[in-house]
Amino acid sequence: MLRQLKRAVLLAALSPLSRQVRREKLTMLGARKLLRLERAAARLRRAGVAGDFAEFGMALGGSGIVLAHLARRDGRQFHGFDVFGMIPPPTSEKDDAASRKRYEEIAAGKSQGIGGDTYYGYVENLYDVVCRSFAAHGVPVDGSSVVLHKGLFADTLPGYADRPVALVHVDCDWYDPAKLVLTTLADRVPSGGAIVMDDYHAYGGARTATEEFLRERSDFAMEDGDNVILRRR
């Protein structure tokens, strides 16, 4: 009974939109992670921190839809990055055995999606599917306020204009893409801005990339939780 009550309180704290994308099975993020994202955005708004919102690793687009709404509310741009297809393999020696096992399961066609649905990496024309979901939730991909970048981060990040980024959501599992995003965007995060690492507690590569970054960048402090938040001092 207590667990059910806590869950009800948690869900009630979420925005209606976050509850909706969860009901529609558009995000793998749990309620706690979504709530931390929403609260990170609210904190930026209160502090007047300028800059885009960006997400790396979009899956079916649920958390991106939430972030795009929050960005539009504040007059910001939202930029989403993904290959919009099969996730690339972990290629670093810093990726752990759990990461490699997870990729082998995905590559073998054995991964299940949310609630038994088709795993997003097996969905044909995933980019078009995600675009339709954004439009259906009132944040169409217009190339201006909402921009999606299709391809490997190494190929698409160089084309992302040198703009401040107030909130970065990194949900890309493996070491190489996580480290690339962290090192590329760190200097563009203003004081008070935040980088949210979704996979810190799930995959060794993402954890190692985060810990290396924190050793290199004393101007960022870690706030632990279901999804780790790195705040720029």
Side-chain angles (χ1 to χ4, degrees), residues 86-125:
M86 276 289 291
I87 186 173
T91 54
S92 172
E93 61 183 14
K94 296 179 180 180
D95 287 304
D96 61 358
S99 302
R100 300 182 191 283
K101 182 178 179 181
R102 172 61 177 147
Y103 179 75
E104 289 170 3
E105 178 185 66
I106 295 170
K110 297 179 180 179
S111 184
Q112 282 198 339
I114 306 166
D117 284 358
T118 301
Y119 174 67
Y120 74 88
Y122 308 148
V123 174
E124 293 186 7
N125 301 315

Side-chain angles (χ1 to χ4, degrees), residues 13-97:
L14 277 177
S15 69
L17 179 59
S18 282
R19 293 198 295 271
Q20 184 176 351
V21 297
R22 278 174 51 80
R23 283 194 302 271
E24 295 179 12
K25 296 187 285 188
L26 294 178
T27 179
M28 294 183 180
L29 268 64
R32 286 187 180 86
K33 285 186 174 183
L34 281 170
L35 185 58
R36 282 172 65 83
L37 270 181
E38 290 186 343
R39 287 177 172 172
R43 177 170 174 168
L44 295 171
R45 186 186 197 193
R46 291 193 302 269
V49 179
D52 297 343
F53 286 177
E55 181 171 69
F56 292 83
M58 298 192 67
L60 289 168
S63 57
I65 289 168
V66 173
L67 290 175
H69 266 277
L70 294 171
R72 187 178 66 175
R73 177 197 65 184
D74 296 345
R76 309 174 190 270
Q77 287 187 2
F78 170 81
H79 289 262
F81 294 77
D82 203 293
V83 294
F84 295 102
M86 276 289 291
I87 186 173
T91 54
S92 172
E93 61 183 14
K94 296 179 180 180
D95 287 304
D96 61 358

Side-chain angles (χ1 to χ4, degrees), residues 149-170:
H149 305 259
K150 182 179 180 180
L152 297 172
F153 300 162
D155 297 329
T156 55
L157 251 179
Y160 177 32
D162 189 14
R163 300 161 53 88
V165 189
L167 179 61
V168 185
H169 182 218
V170 184

Side-chain angles (χ1 to χ4, degrees), residues 5 14 50 52 75-76 91-92 96 117 158 181 189 199 204 218 222 226-227:
L5 179 59
L14 277 177
D52 297 343
R76 309 174 190 270
T91 54
S92 172
D96 61 358
D117 284 358
V181 173
V189 177
D199 298 306
S218 60
M222 187 176 96
D226 286 54
N227 41 359

